[in-house]
């Protein structure tokens, strides 16, 4: 089970009570703070709940936090210690300000969300490559994981258990995938001087669409869910 807590429900006392009761009941919360004060209330609630019920209890429910803004290092540590996942939703202009590299380096799972807008995973991946803070840039491959498999892993255990083999093309895996057209493929690291993975074809590193500024976004040609085609572009015959 999961519950969504958004605007109007994140004052400090309320979120502390809700976090404690949801954790005790084994219900995952999807926390949506709208400003730094609300984020501080979430972090405080997590610490209070961990002190009262223990970090293993929080680890069992894996609460989820959605935020696109600065996060202090001690707050990141709190998220890591209490098994939270983090969903970054770029601003309306595509800007990504969450410290995604710091979160990942502290073992906080990161996924990308779209908010109320139509999903656009490639823009989110591009934003992670072009983060305004060079220290927070991640590779295209890490961004691709955040836009795909990481979202499934952030689901409540009762739901996510059904997706353990999803997000991969392999024998016995569900035939759920998208087919995309891209102008060019490459291995892209956040720092052009250093490759995060070997670009030698013998290394078998999967190539991803080039997402540099000025390149066209990949176009979805078809989508299959459990082997059934649910979308086909009119341009693809």
């Amino acid at each position: 089970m999961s519950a969504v807590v958004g605007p109007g429900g994140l004052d400090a006392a309320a979120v502390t009570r809700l976090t404690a009761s949801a954790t005790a009941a084994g219900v995952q919360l999807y926390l949506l703070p709208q400003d730094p004060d609300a984020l501080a209330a979430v972090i405080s609630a997590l610490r209070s709940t961990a002190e009262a019920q223990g970090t293993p209890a929080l680890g069992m429910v894996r609460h989820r936090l959605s935020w696109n803004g600065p996060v202090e290092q001690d707050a990141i540590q709190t998220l890591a210690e209490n098994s939270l996942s983090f969903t970054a939703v770029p601003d309306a202009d595509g800007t990504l300000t969450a410290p995604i590299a710091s979160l990942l380096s502290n073992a906080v799972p990161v996924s990308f969300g779209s908010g109320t807008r139509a999903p656009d995973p490639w823009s989110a991946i591009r934003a992670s490559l072009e983060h305004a803070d060079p220290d927070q840039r991640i590779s295209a491959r890490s961004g691709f994981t955040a836009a795909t498999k990481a979202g499934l892993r952030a689901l409540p255990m009762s739901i996510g258990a059904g997706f353990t083999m999803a997000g991969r093309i392999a024998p016995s895996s569900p035939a759920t995938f998208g087919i995309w057209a891209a102008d060019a493929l490459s291995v892209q690291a956040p720092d052009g001087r250093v490759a995060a993975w070997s670009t030698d074809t013998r290394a078998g590193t999967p190539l991803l669409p080039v997402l540099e500024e000025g390149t066209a976004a990949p176009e979805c040609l078809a989508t299959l869910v459990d082997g059934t085609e649910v979308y086909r572009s009119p341009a693809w015959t």
Side-chain angles (χ1 to χ4, degrees):
M1 295 178 63
S2 64
V4 177
V5 183
L10 286 178
D11 64 274
V15 76
T16 297
R17 291 193 299 270
L18 181 59
T19 303
S21 60
T23 301
V27 175
Q28 183 197 63
L29 293 178
Y30 188 21
L31 299 155
L32 305 166
Q34 298 298 299
D35 56 52
D37 288 343
L39 176 63
V42 167
I43 300 302
S44 177
L46 292 170
R47 290 169 178 160
S48 296
T49 303
E51 183 177 349
Q53 301 184 36
T55 55
L58 284 158
M60 288 295 293
V61 292
R62 302 185 307 171
H63 296 311
R64 185 175 177 183
L65 171 66
S66 178
W67 174 250
N68 188 33
V71 184
E72 298 296 331
Q73 181 57 41
D74 61 341
I76 292 176
Q77 190 62 34
T78 296
L79 299 179
E81 291 173 351
N82 294 292
S83 304
L84 265 76
S85 66
F86 188 98
T87 299
V89 180
D91 293 337
D93 63 358
T95 302
L96 190 61
T97 54
I100 50 178
S102 293
L103 289 159
L104 288 169
S105 66
N106 282 273
V108 178
V110 174
S111 59
F112 291 144
S114 59
T116 59
R117 300 182 298 278
D120 186 3
W122 299 109
S123 290
I125 298 170
R126 177 177 288 173
S128 70
L129 281 166
E130 301 172 351
H131 200 291
D133 182 352
D135 291 336
Q136 298 303 328
R137 294 171 184 169
I138 61 176
S139 69
R141 186 173 182 182
S142 292
F144 186 76
T145 297
T148 54
K149 291 185 288 186
L152 295 175
R153 295 168 182 165
L155 294 172
M157 288 186 179
S158 58
I159 300 175
F163 295 98
T164 54
M165 292 295 289
R168 69 189 77 182
I169 297 179
S172 299
S173 296
T176 300
F177 57 88
I179 301 173
W180 297 80
D183 290 342
L185 303 175
S186 72
V187 174
Q188 299 157 87
D191 185 339
R193 298 169 298 175
V194 180
W197 287 272
S198 172
T199 57
D200 190 320
T201 55
R202 292 172 296 179
T205 302
L207 302 178
L208 290 169
V210 173
L211 299 172
E212 295 174 353
E213 186 175 355
T215 60
E219 177 187 0
C220 184
L221 301 179
T223 302
L224 282 80
V225 177
D226 286 337
T228 299
E229 186 179 278
V230 296
Y231 168 77
R232 176 181 286 264
S233 169
W236 195 42
T237 58

